[in-house]
Amino acid sequence: MAKLFLIALTVAHSWYTGYHDPVTGYECCDAKKDCGVIAPRFVEPLPGGGFNVRTGSKSRYFIPKNRVIESEDSQYHICLSPPFSYIRCFFAPRTEASRERSALDHFE
């Protein structure tokens, strides 16, 4: 299963380029970092907006709400630094709360 996960990270960098972690300021994707879709079964949304992310059988990461970037599609994505041990950026689908805020912004 870990091999399948790593294969998914070989996806072209496309829209990830130009994004930065909102807390650290690190660039999400460049020649030394790989970004890709991560299946929802590896992502556990937590109360308060954070996430637990599994990237292998023993690797788990906590992503606090303030480091979550809205994805450009309806999927989860991560950007990892080699040797795939540090999550540089985490993207999550737009939440219902942000949709409601956006809708309210149109009426102001």
Side-chain angles (χ1 to χ4, degrees), residues 19 58 82 103-104:
Y19 277 97
K58 296 181 182 180
L104 291 174

Side-chain angles (χ1 to χ4, degrees), residues 12-63:
H13 294 209
S14 64
W15 59 264
Y16 307 110
T17 303
Y19 277 97
H20 294 80
D21 182 288
V23 173
T24 66
Y26 292 138
E27 187 174 19
C28 294
C29 196
D30 66 18
K32 297 178 184 172
K33 294 171 217 56
D34 288 312
C35 298
V37 173
I38 183 168
R41 71 178 179 266
F42 296 111
V43 179
E44 176 189 2
L46 300 171
F51 293 85
N52 278 329
V53 178
R54 287 184 295 125
T55 60
S57 62
K58 296 181 182 180
S59 301
R60 292 182 183 268
Y61 298 91
F62 169 69
I63 309 294

Side-chain angles (χ1 to χ4, degrees), residues 76-94:
Y76 295 102
H77 301 258
I78 60 172
C79 298
L80 298 170
S81 290
F84 305 111
S85 60
Y86 179 74
I87 295 179
R88 298 290 290 217
C89 292
F90 177 75
F91 298 84
R94 175 180 253 184

